[in-house]
């Protein structure tokens, strides 16, 4: 620094007065050109940001009914059925997701269209409220790109959340005519209610070739581990009802069952439990004599007693989540929201986000055959652990079940972690509730290693100016036989350390 | 003047060019964006009528998800049994849980056939099972069966290949279609495509196999095990190579590979490409074409140069000095390299698409390895370069933890396999992923004790909790007097004076019945007497009466004051996973006799704290009684005064840390030797040699010497300082 300023003093000022007027103008012009160049560069630096921030208010304002209509010819191609052997390394094109410093995949969403068959009849509802929320969440996220050529993952805007409200063959045809379909490679479909009568398949029946499926209600036989993503069945009550978090601790009932239309066999097993253990077990069912105007879904009854649903879930320590016709149940979301520990009785069910979430910390899984032993199994869980499970259950709901946005982002993050495993989110980040994150200590040197004595130690001496006492310390410390190195940190910038 | 002008002009020109050069990128972007400005970023539209959209499913439909026409749950489960067989086996359909309910998780190994010798590795696997606490010689009570036929090497070109397995199996009356059987396999398939074929029908048996591919792996049913060599130690095992944490954790090389390159056939694609990332500086990737008999036939243009480079580096040296190690697939998906890198704390970079990683059901590999993609080899260097040093440090430590917890010996590999299967039997009593992936590892955490991390001594820091504030005093009485001696009365008085004491338990291990209630000293502390079975190992039985986290273990002759107990307990609360106590011994290697010795002389080191006066976590009672095999406890019962050495060895094996000694006012008298001294010196030395024997037998069982030495003693802060006694918290310690 000193050298530079000296130069400036001797030569800089002496230069200007000696110049002639003609030259001066010449120089001023040159200067201004350079200055302009600088300003322009500076402006360009900021330009792109201003464009991005303005994008929020340049989004289209249209009605869903105005979207273009696509007619599907009866003979348009149908994709092959899902391939059960698909894995990331066989069916996914990683080359689309290049190495990038952010380690984020780019997700493209197809624009919304309305599909009709040859006769003009709609293939499905154009889009449901939940799927719209999900696509909005993806579009607002860091993953989104509007450039189809840079995308790594494609999300069709064709809504397949509920298989019962769509026409299977025509939906498949609609998928196949997507511009980048290519046998479904790198396409992601979201489905929450798969299957239908009579056999209720546990995965979406729409032929989808190699597309990834984010499905609610996978069984171990349809779930392609490491390829599909198991997601929860969203419960619209989450948005409707505000259940404040209830502190963990003992509650009025021990076991509660709130599902309606349970299979009579389950029903009788639950009743047997109730008969054995009395009032701590509560089995609710549909109310038969409700006055008009009261939504049936918000009430549950036991004999003549009427309970508010889902509020009643907060009154119980454990809440039973049994399989219905399908494996995935929306009640799981309600139960978690209430901070009630779910007791999951659904053999072969792949729990939501099981690839990353440690469900043993938030739930109890009991094989269907062991239902009669449920009470004693639950009793054997220590109170401290129950409290922790209650907290954990609520945390899972808040982080991953609460909204379609939470579900969408968790799904994309899981896929992202598979593609950039070295930048993946850790177990702790997925599973530890904020309370644990604050109170716990993660030791960066966690391995109990005892450094070998032979290595000795390094002495680090901080000093500013007091050379004398520094020398004394050095002399003393250097007498220690196990000293291997002495490091002096000289903190005085104005003075050089003594030679 | 003229030259100066020229210079100035040139400077301006240069700076102008520079600005263009650096700003050009922005300029280009500007034109790019201005072209797209009109359409902006097309986000998903905010539909004007989005609030009117229908919900995806009627709420009623969501909550009433039943169909009476469906099969009943029981019928459905029965139907599954016939549908989901062989390649679609799951525990629900192919495993008979009822066998395990009667007698718990017991493992039976078929009797070995003398005419049919098994390979060294399979012999070790069988020995591991027979050494485990789950072993039963009785097939009636078994839950899991293991064949005596060597199924490790199913490459029919191999010398170890056993023929006609199908026929032999059919001859076993216990086979039962393979139900509840566990089959171990290391090599399957053969040249040229090395499929997963085993050459016999495994039926409904669980397969524990190395190099498992995700497609044929039956999730939740099979177990993927690591490939290990026949020299892999039976027990104990070598420790990892990371002796200290170096910060920053980067080593000389960033990424290394040294190994064979297949010129043709399966797996050659990956290995043939490896030379592309070699840069000769921090990335060393060396391949040789030399393998097999006829490599020269297939030799390509690179071979000669590669072979020369190959000889320039030493594999061991590379392992020691590299941060990351490439573990590519070989002919099969897994390779020896995986365990080698893990032990060397060289973070494995896996290039083996579709490999179901060993024990992935339990182990979170994302914390210890980089799972790369064979297709993206060229991205690997930049990807690993971008990993932050703190993450590298965590990776390195995790490799060492996993190596030591699950892989370093055949015992550990086999026991991990068994524990994974056992965990499936009762999902509600199984280890969470947290327990599997945190020190000290799943094998040392017994879910039968608790599944809650807060109940174990190991997780207080991560869990953000602390051990309970009270302790249980546990006094063992063995004297034959039948009445209460003076020392025990004094001891009870001293302990009941402690503010942290919750209760006193007395283990009465004498022939004579304990004195009636009235004879015991009257204290406010609850006092319980437990009648023992007069075995030495009784002292570490997990009595349900012990409800506090801390146990203060005492002998009847121990003499302690209240201050000593209080201070020791405060220390223990800071080190809940260790033994904290008073009298200490140390062990040493006796080179003359070639065995371990121990000494109670006053030395400057300690590695054993006698349980005659020590605090430890009550979980160690469970580990002692349930984790250690019965044989070891019998050994302890047979020898005099060996149980406290075993306890110390156990705790040291679990924590890898030495015990802690705290301030003691009086000299603790190891009273028994004194008694013996009075009677006969020979008896004293007999006892000494028994303890020495015990130590050596324990080392033999563990396979290494777990004890760790320490030179540390903890004193209260103002202990023996020249300040007023009134300032001191434990003034009585100095009297």
């Amino acid at each position: 620094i000193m050298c530079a300023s000296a130069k400036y003093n001797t030569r800089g000022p002496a230069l200007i007065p000696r110049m002639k007027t003609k030259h001066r103008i010449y120089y001023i012009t040159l200067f201004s050109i350079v200055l302009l160049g600088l300003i322009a560069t500076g402006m360009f630096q900021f330009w792109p940001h201003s464009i991005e921030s303005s994008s929020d208010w340049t989004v289209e304002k249209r009605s869903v009914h105005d979207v273009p209509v696509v007619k599907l010819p009866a003979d348009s191609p149908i994709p092959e059925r899902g391939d059960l052997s698909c894995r990331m390394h066989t069916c996914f094109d990683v080359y689309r997701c290049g190495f990038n410093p952010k380690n984020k995949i780019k997700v493209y969403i197809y624009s919304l269209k309305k599909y009709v068959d040859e006769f003009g009849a709609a293939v499905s509802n154009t889009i449901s409220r939940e799927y719209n929320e999900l696509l909005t969440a993806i579009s607002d996220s860091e993953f989104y790109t509007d450039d189809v050529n840079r995308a790594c993952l494609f999300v069709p805007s064709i809504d397949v959340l509920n298989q019962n409200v769509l026409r299977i063959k025509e939906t498949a045809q609609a998928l196949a005519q997507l511009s980048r379909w290519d046998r479904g490679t790198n396409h992601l479909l979201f489905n929450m209610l798969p299957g239908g009568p009579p056999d209720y398949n546990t995965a979406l029946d729409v032929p989808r070739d190699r597309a990834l499926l984010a499905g609610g209600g996978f069984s171990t036989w349809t779930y392609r581990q490491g390829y599909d993503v198991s997601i929860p069945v969203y419960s619209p009550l989450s948005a409707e009802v505000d259940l404040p978090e209830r502190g963990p601790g003992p509650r009025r009932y021990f076991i509660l069952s709130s599902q309606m239309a349970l299979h009579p066999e389950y029903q009788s097993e639950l009743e047997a439990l109730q008969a054995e253990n009395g009032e701590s077990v509560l089995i609710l069912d549909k109310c038969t004599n409700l006055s008009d105007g009261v939504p049936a879904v918000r009430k549950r009854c036991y004999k003549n007693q009427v309970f508010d649903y889902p509020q009643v879930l907060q009154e119980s320590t454990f809440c039973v989540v049994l399989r219905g016709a399908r494996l995935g149940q929306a009640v799981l979301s309600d139960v978690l929201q209430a901070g009630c520990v779910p007791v999951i009785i659904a053999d072969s069910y792949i729990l939501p986000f099981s690839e990353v979430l440690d469900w043993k910390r938030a739930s109890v899984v009991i094989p269907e055959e062991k239902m009669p032993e449920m009470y004693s199994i639950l009793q054997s869980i220590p109170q401290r652990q129950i409290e922790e499970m209650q907290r954990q259950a609520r945390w899972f709901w808040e982080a991953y079940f609460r909204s379609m946005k939470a579900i969408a982002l968790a799904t994309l993050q899981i896929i992202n972690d598979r593609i950039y495993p070295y930048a993946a989110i850790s177990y702790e980040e997925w599973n530890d509730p904020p309370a644990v994150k604050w109170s716990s200590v993660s030791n960066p040197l966690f391995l109990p290693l005892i450094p070998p004595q032979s290595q000795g130690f390094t002495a680090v001496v901080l000093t500013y100016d007091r050379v004398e006492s520094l020398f004394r310390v050095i002399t003393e410390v250097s007498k220690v036989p196990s000293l291997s190195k002495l490091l002096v940190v000289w903190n005085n910038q104005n003075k050089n350390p003594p030679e | 003047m003229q030259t100066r002008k020229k210079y100035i002009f040139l400077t301006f020109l240069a700076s102008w060019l520079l600005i263009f050069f650096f700003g050009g990128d922005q300029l280009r972007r500007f034109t790019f964006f201005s072209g797209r400005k009109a359409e902006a970023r097309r986000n998903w539209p905010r539909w004007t009528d989005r609030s009117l959209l229908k919900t995806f499913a009627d709420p009623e439909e969501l909550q009433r998800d039943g169909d009476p026409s469906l099969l009943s749950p029981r019928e459905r489960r029965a139907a599954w049994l016939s549908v989901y067989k062989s390649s679609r086996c799951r525990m629900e359909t192919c495993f008979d849980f009822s066998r395990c309910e009667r007698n718990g998780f017991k493992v039976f190994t078929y009797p070995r056939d003398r005419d049919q010798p098994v390979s060294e590795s399979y012999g070790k696997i069988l020995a591991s099972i027979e050494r485990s606490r789950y072993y039963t010689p009785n097939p009636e009570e078994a839950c899991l069966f293991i064949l005596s036929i060597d199924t490790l090497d199913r490459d029919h070109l191999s010398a170890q290949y056993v023929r006609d397995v199908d026929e032999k199996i059919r001859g076993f009356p216990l086979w039962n279609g393979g139900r509840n059987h566990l089959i171990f396999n290391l090599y399957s398939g053969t040249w040229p495509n090395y499929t997963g074929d085993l050459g016999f029908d495994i039926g409904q048996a669980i397969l524990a196999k190395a190099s498992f591919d995700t497609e044929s792996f039956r999730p939740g049913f099979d177990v993927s095990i690591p490939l290990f060599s026949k020299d892999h130690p039976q027990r104990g095992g070598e420790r990892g190579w990371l002796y200290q944490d170096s910060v920053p954790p980067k080593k000389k090389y960033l990424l290394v590979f040294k190994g064979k390159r297949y010129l043709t056939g399966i797996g050659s694609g990956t290995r043939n490409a490896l030379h592309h990332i070699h840069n000769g500086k921090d990335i060393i990737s060396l391949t040789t074409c030399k393998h097999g008999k006829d490599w020269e036939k297939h030799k390509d243009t690179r071979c000669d140069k590669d072979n020369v480079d190959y000889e320039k580096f030493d594999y061991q040296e590379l392992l020691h000095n590299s941060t990351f190690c490439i573990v590519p697939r070989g002919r099969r998906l897994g390779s020896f390299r995986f365990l080698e890198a893990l032990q060397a704390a060289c973070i494995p970079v896996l290039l083996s698409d579709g490999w179901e990683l060993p024990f992935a059901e339990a182990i979170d590999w994302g914390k210890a390895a980089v799972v790369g993609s064979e297709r993206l080899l060229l991205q690997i260097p930049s990807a690993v370069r971008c990993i932050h040093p703190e993450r590298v440090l965590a990776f390195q430590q995790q490799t060492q933890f996993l190596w030591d917890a699950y892989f370093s010996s055949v015992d550990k590999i086999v026991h991990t396999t068994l524990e994974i299967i056992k965990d499936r039997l009762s999902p509600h009593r199984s280890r969470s992923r947290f327990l599997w992936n945190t020190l000290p590892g799943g094998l040392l955490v017994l879910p039968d004790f608790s599944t809650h991390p807060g109940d174990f001594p190991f997780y207080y820091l991560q869990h953000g909790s602390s051990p309970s504030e009270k302790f249980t005093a546990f006094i063992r009485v063995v004297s034959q007097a039948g009445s209460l001696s003076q020392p025990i009365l004094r001891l009870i008085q001293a302990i009941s004076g402690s503010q942290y004491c919750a209760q006193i338990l007395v283990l009465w291990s004498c022939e004579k019945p304990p004195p009636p209630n009235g004879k015991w000293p009257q204290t406010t502390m609850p006092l319980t007497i437990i009648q023992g079975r007069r075995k030495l190992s009784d002292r570490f039985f997990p009595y349900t009466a012990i409800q506090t986290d801390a146990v203060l273990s005492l002998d009847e002759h121990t003499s302690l004051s209240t201050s000593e107990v209080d201070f020791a307990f405060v220390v223990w609360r800071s080190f809940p996973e260790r033994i904290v106590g008073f009298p200490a011994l140390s062990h040493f290697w006796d080179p003359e006799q070639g065995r371990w010795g121990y000494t109670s002389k006053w030395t400057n080191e300690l590695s054993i704290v006698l349980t005659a006066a020590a605090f430890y976590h009550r979980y160690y009672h469970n580990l002692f009684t349930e984790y250690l095999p019965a044989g070891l406890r019998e050994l302890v019962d047979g020898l005099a005064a060996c149980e406290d050495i075993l306890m110390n060895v156990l705790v040291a094996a679990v924590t890898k840390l030495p015990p802690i000694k705290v301030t003691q006012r009086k000299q603790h008298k190891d009273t028994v030797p004194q008694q013996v001294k009075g009677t006969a010196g020979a008896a004293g030395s007999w006892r000494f040699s028994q303890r020495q024997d015990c130590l050596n037998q324990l080392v033999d069982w563990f396979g290494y010497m777990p004890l760790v030495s320490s030179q540390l003693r903890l004193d209260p802060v103002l202990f023996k300082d020249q300040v007023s006694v009134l300032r001191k918290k434990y003034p009585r310690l100095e009297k």
Side-chain angles (χ1 to χ4, degrees), chain A residues 280-296:
Chain A
S280 61
V281 181
L282 182 65
I283 304 167
L284 301 175
D285 206 344
K286 194 188 172 184
C287 296
T288 44
N289 49 356
L290 276 184
S291 54
D292 291 341
V294 181

Side-chain angles (χ1 to χ4, degrees), chain A residues 88-226:
Chain A
M88 289 308 263
H89 67 281
T90 54
C91 294
F92 194 87
D93 180 7
V94 277
Y95 299 119
R96 287 190 168 278
C97 326
F99 174 75
N100 66 55
K102 275 191 188 163
N103 295 318
K104 286 264 181 244
I105 53 169
K106 292 270 170 224
V107 184
Y108 174 80
I109 307 175
Y110 287 97
S111 58
L112 187 62
K113 302 222 166 82
K114 185 178 172 143
Y115 294 92
V116 293
D117 63 9
E118 270 190 320
F119 310 103
V123 164
S124 65
N125 292 335
T126 314
I127 191 165
S128 66
R129 190 191 306 159
E130 283 77 12
Y131 200 56
N132 182 47
E133 281 168 17
L134 184 136
L135 294 181
T136 309
I138 296 178
S139 158
D140 292 345
S141 74
E142 289 181 85
F143 296 109
Y144 180 68
T145 178
D146 64 346
D147 184 353
V148 72
N149 293 312
R150 297 170 74 190
C152 146
L153 199 64
F154 303 88
V155 180
S157 57
I158 302 164
D159 181 356
V160 291
L161 279 183
N162 183 355
Q163 189 187 315
N164 283 355
V165 295
L166 50 86
R167 290 158 66 185
I168 289 174
K169 183 183 150 215
E170 286 78 4
T171 308
Q173 286 173 327
L175 285 174
Q177 58 76 51
L178 290 171
S179 61
R180 301 283 168 132
W181 178 249
D182 183 25
R183 299 190 59 202
T185 314
N186 294 24
H187 280 64
L188 174 65
L189 304 180
F190 285 89
N191 167 255
M192 286 182 176
L193 298 180
D199 55 349
Y200 290 95
N201 192 356
T202 52
L204 180 67
D205 280 319
V206 176
R208 52 186 195 278
D209 213 339
R210 295 170 148 192
L212 292 121
L213 183 60
F218 274 119
S219 88
T220 163
W221 291 289
T222 49
Y223 177 66
R224 295 170 290 183
Q225 201 164 14

Side-chain angles (χ1 to χ4, degrees), chain B residues 295-575:
Chain B
W295 68 273
E296 276 176 320
K297 256 194 261 168
H298 305 281
K299 149 173 165 174
D300 58 15
T301 49
R302 290 195 56 89
C303 276
D304 290 324
K305 186 184 170 294
D306 281 353
N307 288 351
V308 173
D309 284 343
Y310 187 81
E311 301 302 330
K312 286 189 196 154
F313 290 87
D314 176 50
Y315 178 57
Q316 293 294 321
E317 194 236 304
L318 289 176
L319 266 185
H320 271 285
N321 292 306
S322 180
T323 318
F324 294 92
C325 282
I326 301 182
V327 180
R329 59 168 299 163
R331 293 294 192 199
R332 300 183 179 86
L333 291 169
S335 67
F336 293 120
R337 231 160 270 288
F338 182 63
L339 284 192
E340 285 164 3
L342 208 62
Q343 178 181 15
C346 185
I347 304 160
V349 176
L350 305 171
L351 292 177
S352 189
D353 285 352
W355 183 23
E356 174 71 27
L357 295 179
F359 304 136
E361 189 174 337
I363 295 175
D364 184 358
W365 282 107
K367 284 182 162 184
V370 177
V371 186
S373 162
E374 284 179 40
R375 292 180 291 176
L376 300 179
L377 170 71
L378 297 183
Q379 288 183 10
I380 295 286
S382 32
V384 295
R385 243 182 251 284
C386 290
I387 299 177
H388 284 281
E390 63 265 26
R391 211 174 148 113
V392 173
L393 189 67
F395 269 134
Q396 284 175 346
Q397 293 178 73
Q398 193 74 7
T399 59
Q400 299 297 283
F401 154 60
L402 293 177
W403 163 257
D404 188 66
Y406 306 116
F407 298 106
S408 65
S409 66
V410 177
D411 266 9
K412 285 175 187 165
I413 293 173
V414 171
H415 292 175
T416 309
T417 311
L418 294 183
E419 293 291 346
I420 286 177
I421 296 171
K422 180 174 177 267
D423 264 6
R424 295 174 186 160
L425 301 182
S426 45
H428 56 277
R429 276 240 159 259
S430 61
R431 302 161 178 92
S432 64
R433 261 183 110 73
F434 171 80
L435 297 178
W436 279 110
N437 290 287
T438 318
L439 276 163
L443 297 187
L444 294 164
V445 169
L446 306 177
D448 293 324
F449 169 70
S450 171
T451 45
H452 179 54
D455 286 339
F456 293 93
F458 317 116
Y459 312 112
Y460 290 117
L461 272 183
Q462 289 117 306
H463 195 248
S465 61
S466 50
S468 63
E469 285 165 11
K470 296 275 178 185
F471 67 83
T472 301
F474 188 83
I475 309 172
R476 183 182 60 168
V477 181
V478 283
S479 67
Q480 303 303 321
S483 62
L484 294 170
S485 57
Q486 275 306 310
I488 191 170
L489 295 176
R490 269 205 303 276
L491 188 61
I492 290 175
Q493 286 301 342
I495 287 158
S496 48
S498 167
Q499 52 179 317
Y500 304 114
C501 186
Q503 60 169 337
I504 300 175
L505 296 179
V506 177
L507 175 66
W508 194 263
S509 289
C510 317
E511 266 178 64
K512 290 175 189 154
N517 275 347
K519 289 273 176 77
W520 292 90
Q522 296 302 311
T523 64
T524 47
M525 213 49 77
L527 193 142
T528 318
I529 292 140
I530 301 169
Q531 186 73 51
R533 292 165 305 155
R534 303 191 51 236
K535 277 189 179 168
L536 287 168
S537 58
D538 257 9
R539 140 171 242 173
F540 301 119
F541 187 81
Y543 298 100
T544 46
I546 306 173
Q547 286 295 333
T548 56
D549 287 336
V551 177
L552 170 60
S553 167
L554 297 163
D555 273 356
E556 57 194 309
H557 306 288
T558 310
S559 144
L560 280 180
S561 70
T562 311
S563 308
E564 284 170 308
V565 170
D566 280 352
F567 175 65
F569 181 66
V570 171
V571 171
W572 178 83
R573 296 227 327 140
S574 301
F575 302 96

